[in-house]
Amino acid sequence: RTMTSICDLPEDVLVELLSLLPARVLLGTCRLVCRQWRFVVDLTTLWKRKCQREGFFAPDLDRSVSDWKVFYILCILKRNLIKNPRAEEKFKHWQLDKNDGDRWKVETLPGAHGTNMPDPNVHKYFVTSYGPCLKSQLISLKNEGYWNQLMDEKRPEIVVKDWYAARFDCGCRYELKVRLLSEDYIVLEEFHPEPVVIEQWSDAQWREISHTFRNYPAGVRYIWFQHGGQDTQFWAGWYGIRVTNSSITVGPHT
């Protein structure tokens, strides 16, 4: 007999065909077509196939991934949520919370009495002065594609990284504060390490600080990131801590 519709296709063929479509089409359109399609769209094999096709799949993941659909979506969304992390657009997207001394400035690597970064793609950094200099960004998870239910039920890891360095010829201080906030901006969890004090005549090397938020409370809607510092010798100009290449990423290890 002749095949009457696409619904008559064997399940494995349907999986293969549907796995070619973007996730938003699968979830927003295909799932609503009929009961059979909803069943196929919800199959683990379909999302695993999508992960394989787009390079998110590794055999050793097989036992650790509990939900391949969520895993795929987190992989697709994964990127640095901090905007203008490398000072390429001056201070665009940054809120200057404290801007004392001779104020924040952007300089080009390696800078006076400085060193280059391990990452050759980073060309600029933000530098502080002799008064307190702090700047921040507030990230709305919903605006970045992470819906409430995903954050509350799956609680994907939130990884924060920042890079800082001193000038060789001046002592300085670096500080970082990252908060996970609720809808009403209540602090649900915070990473606020002791400020790093670097003495004069240091190696001026760039160092990375990193923290991973896991098993945080439900209700996280925003991430607030703030960093900065100042020089400790009160020299006019820009002798304070240098920062660049900040990042916040959500979910899974790939």
Side-chain angles (χ1 to χ4, degrees), residues 19-21 49-57 72 76:
S19 73
L20 292 162
L21 296 172
R49 186 75 191 89
K50 284 185 76 60
C51 286
Q52 282 170 324
R53 184 174 273 127
E54 297 183 40
F56 302 142
F57 179 84
Y72 175 82
I76 284 291

Side-chain angles (χ1 to χ4, degrees), residues 27-251:
L27 296 170
T29 309
C30 298
R31 229 180 145 264
L32 310 176
V33 170
C34 64
R35 187 176 294 157
Q36 186 204 3
W37 277 39
R38 188 172 71 215
F39 172 77
V40 172
V41 168
D42 288 344
L43 280 174
T44 294
T45 48
L46 181 138
W47 295 97
K48 213 186 230 183
R49 186 75 191 89
K50 284 185 76 60
C51 286
Q52 282 170 324
R53 184 174 273 127
E54 297 183 40
F56 302 142
F57 179 84
D60 58 342
L61 283 171
D62 223 350
R63 284 185 298 281
S64 60
V65 174
S66 59
D67 186 328
W68 282 94
K69 187 199 314 184
V70 167
F71 180 81
Y72 175 82
I73 288 164
L74 287 173
C75 287
I76 284 291
L77 287 173
K78 191 171 184 179
R79 65 202 186 282
N80 187 1
L81 300 182
I82 288 190
K83 295 174 176 63
N84 184 27
R86 301 171 171 184
E88 297 289 350
E89 302 173 90
K90 300 280 195 333
F91 292 98
K92 194 179 175 186
H93 302 295
W94 289 97
Q95 170 83 33
L96 302 182
D97 305 321
K98 282 192 175 174
N99 205 10
D100 295 346
D102 284 324
R103 303 208 267 279
W104 279 101
K105 190 186 177 195
V106 169
E107 292 179 347
T108 303
L109 280 156
H113 296 280
T115 57
N116 272 314
M117 277 207 67
D119 184 342
N121 298 313
V122 184
H123 304 295
K124 294 187 170 173
Y125 58 83
F126 304 96
V127 58
T128 60
S129 187
Y130 61 85
C133 292
L134 293 169
K135 64 184 178 69
S136 63
Q137 278 191 35
L138 181 70
I139 293 157
S140 160
L141 288 162
K142 204 176 207 171
N143 290 355
E144 300 296 342
Y146 299 92
W147 62 97
N148 297 352
Q149 190 186 358
L150 176 72
M151 295 307 298
D152 293 351
E153 290 179 10
K154 300 299 175 184
R155 305 201 198 164
E157 290 184 349
I158 298 170
V159 181
V160 180
K161 294 181 178 179
D162 199 20
W163 286 83
Y164 63 91
R167 285 174 62 119
F168 166 68
D169 58 350
C170 189
C172 61
R173 185 182 125 124
Y174 163 79
E175 51 191 285
L176 172 68
K177 194 183 286 181
V178 186
R179 290 173 170 169
L180 306 186
L181 305 173
S182 72
E183 193 66 63
D184 307 324
Y185 305 103
I186 292 160
V187 180
L188 299 178
E189 206 149 303
E190 179 177 81
F191 174 61
H192 186 202
E194 283 291 304
V196 178
V197 177
I198 301 170
E199 301 297 329
Q200 190 179 22
W201 316 125
S202 72
D203 60 9
Q205 290 298 312
W206 284 91
R207 288 184 168 77
E208 185 186 45
I209 186 167
S210 174
H211 177 75
T212 302
F213 290 99
R214 295 185 179 90
N215 306 319
Y216 44 83
V220 173
R221 300 295 175 258
Y222 300 97
I223 304 170
W224 181 75
F225 175 101
Q226 186 193 58
H227 66 173
Q230 64 187 103
D231 90 41
T232 50
Q233 289 167 236
F234 214 73
W235 291 357
W238 296 273
Y239 290 83
I241 199 75
R242 301 165 169 189
V243 291
T244 193
N245 207 27
S246 318
S247 69
I248 293 175
T249 50
V250 175

